[in-house]
């Protein structure tokens, strides 16, 4: 089972996780990261790197976050969601968002 990025990442976009991914399976949008399930080898190296606990094994997703498994898969294939392999600074206002829950309505899509 692949790993999944959930809503804790939205508006924060910490990228510590991407630098340890041996398969380079992370993609980024304007304010969120997703994992391409076709590339994920279930190694779990990204999980402890996320400072907000946004990454779960798909088999361990809480029921309230289960829709993120499909969302990661769909976003990973969309034009405008580009691979990311090196850590970058988080979004400028990440500190104010890191403890906020239910941020899915804030997910931004890249410009076409």
């Amino acid at each position: 089972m692949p790993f999944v990025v959930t809503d804790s990442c939205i508006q924060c976009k910490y990228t510590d996780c991407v630098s340890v991914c041996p398969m380079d399976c992370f993609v980024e949008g304007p304010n969120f990261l997703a994992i391409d399930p076709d590339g994920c080898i279930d190694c779990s190296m990204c999980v402890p790197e996320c400072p907000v606990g946004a990454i779960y094994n798909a088999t361990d997703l809480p029921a309230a976050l289960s829709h993120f498994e499909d969302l990661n898969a769909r976003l990973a294939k969309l034009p405008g969601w580009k691979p990311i392999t090196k850590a970058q600074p988080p979004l400028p206002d990440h500190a104010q968002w890191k403890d906020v829950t239910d941020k899915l309505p804030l997910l931004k899509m890249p410009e076409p």
Side-chain angles (χ1 to χ4, degrees):
M1 278 293 174
F3 280 77
V4 177
V5 181
T6 61
D7 73 337
S8 294
C9 182
I10 298 171
Q11 293 295 102
C12 294
K13 202 167 85 169
Y14 294 100
T15 58
D16 309 66
C17 52
V18 303
S19 60
V20 299
C21 180
M23 301 306 292
D24 296 335
C25 61
F26 280 88
V27 295
E28 71 170 323
N31 68 340
F32 183 64
L33 298 177
I35 294 174
D36 183 346
D38 294 338
C40 182
I41 60 170
D42 197 23
C43 72
S44 78
M45 291 177 66
C46 57
V47 176
E49 298 301 317
C50 181
V52 292
I55 304 172
Y56 290 84
N57 186 299
T59 60
D60 298 329
L61 271 171
L65 300 175
S66 63
H67 56 285
F68 277 93
E69 183 174 6
D70 179 60
L71 182 62
N72 274 240
R74 286 187 292 121
L75 294 175
K77 304 300 182 211
L78 286 180
W81 286 77
K82 303 293 183 195
I84 177 173
T85 59
K86 292 185 179 13
Q88 302 170 5
L91 294 176
D93 55 353
H94 65 94
Q96 81 178 48
W97 291 103
K98 70 181 187 73
D99 296 321
V100 176
T101 58
D102 301 320
K103 298 187 285 185
L104 186 56
L106 301 171
L107 179 64
K108 294 178 185 172
M109 300 304 279
E111 296 293 323

